[in-house]
Structures are given as structure tokens and as C-alpha cells.
Amino acid sequence: MTIAEEFQSRNFSIYGQWTGVLCIFLCFGLGIGNIFLKHILIIIFSAICLCCSFILIFIEVPLLLRICPTSPKFDALIRKVTTNYMRAAVYLGMSIIQWLSLLKEPTSLLVAAIFLLIAASFYALAAVKGQGFVGSKTLGGHGVAQMII
């Protein structure tokens, strides 16, 4: 299945996964970009955003759990985030944290908050519609990770 066919499948979990990949890059870039501001609270939220990007990498690209040496506890934690409801909850939590960064002053972390909320919405829509989680083949879903062994 090509990327175009995946998007035409109308499965919201695919949309959520690709929005999640966009969130990885946004959180990484915005986390680094805002970490150099002078307010300590913004620096803390930037560091959290940066950490979220690394967590999202392992959630959205399951192939990396096989390749990267991680602890069994971390692997078990990431493997719990398999359903659309759990993914929606994780993204919503990360989004709320970034929305809280606006309490100090508006920064570009707002963009990360918005896209995390969009990804949470896609996963929540997939869960409500009863669509099972379908991982993109491009990102290591559908047995690609098992071929690495």
C-alpha cells in the first residue's frame, strides 16, 4: 500500500499517525528554538516539548523499538500505547502541557500544542468510529519490524 492509498483509506488512525510524525519534527524544532528564551518557565516547557518529540518517535515508528537499545521498562511503556484511545490520550496530554506554556507568554510552542491536539483528534475520531489502529507501512507497520529480526 502506497502513501496515497493509505490516505485514501479514510482511516483516521493513518491521519493521526502522519500528523504524529509532523508533531515529532515540530516538537523537536520548537523545543530547541524556545529553549534559549530568558524565562525559566518557557525553558521548562521547551524541554518538555523536546522530550515529547523523542517519546513520539518511538510511539509512531515501531521499527525503532527493535533497532534502538532501550530498557525493557521503556519498551513496555511504549507498547501500552497501541489503541487509538491510548494514543489520543497521550497526544491530548502532551497538547495540554504545551497549552499551559501560554500562561507565561505566547511563544511558538502554541504551534506544537495545536498540532498535538489535531493528532489527538484524529486518533479520537478513529476510536469513536470503531476503526482499528492501522500503522503505515512506510513507518514500519504491517510486519516490517518483524523482517528486521
Side-chain angles (χ1 to χ4, degrees), residues 1 3 24 30 38 48 55 60 66 78-79 88 100 103 106 109 123:
M1 185 181 283
I3 294 174
I24 292 168
L30 295 173
K38 54 187 167 187
I48 292 171
I55 293 170
E60 295 301 347
R66 296 233 183 233
I78 295 298
R79 289 184 205 282
L100 290 175
L103 293 176
L109 292 174
Y123 280 125

Side-chain angles (χ1 to χ4, degrees), residues 18-53:
W18 281 104
T19 307
V21 170
L22 179 62
C23 288
I24 292 168
F25 292 110
L26 283 172
C27 287
F28 185 79
L30 295 173
I32 289 176
N34 285 294
I35 209 160
F36 298 109
L37 296 178
K38 54 187 167 187
H39 298 292
I40 188 71
L41 203 55
I42 300 300
I43 293 171
I44 291 169
F45 282 113
S46 298
I48 292 171
C49 191
L50 193 58
C51 291
C52 287
S53 72

Side-chain angles (χ1 to χ4, degrees), residues 31-109:
I32 289 176
N34 285 294
I35 209 160
F36 298 109
L37 296 178
K38 54 187 167 187
H39 298 292
I40 188 71
L41 203 55
I42 300 300
I43 293 171
I44 291 169
F45 282 113
S46 298
I48 292 171
C49 191
L50 193 58
C51 291
C52 287
S53 72
F54 292 113
I55 293 170
L56 289 177
I57 287 173
F58 288 104
I59 289 175
E60 295 301 347
V61 187
L63 182 63
L64 292 179
L65 280 177
R66 296 233 183 233
I67 296 172
C68 298
T70 56
S71 72
K73 286 183 181 180
F74 181 76
D75 289 350
L77 179 70
I78 295 298
R79 289 184 205 282
K80 288 181 183 177
V81 187
T82 55
T83 65
N84 288 327
Y85 284 112
M86 283 299 294
R87 287 176 182 251
V90 167
Y91 275 98
L92 183 63
M94 290 179 181
S95 178
I96 289 170
I97 291 170
Q98 295 310 313
W99 281 106
L100 290 175
S101 72
L102 296 174
L103 293 176
K104 180 64 180 165
E105 68 179 73
T107 64
S108 57
L109 292 174

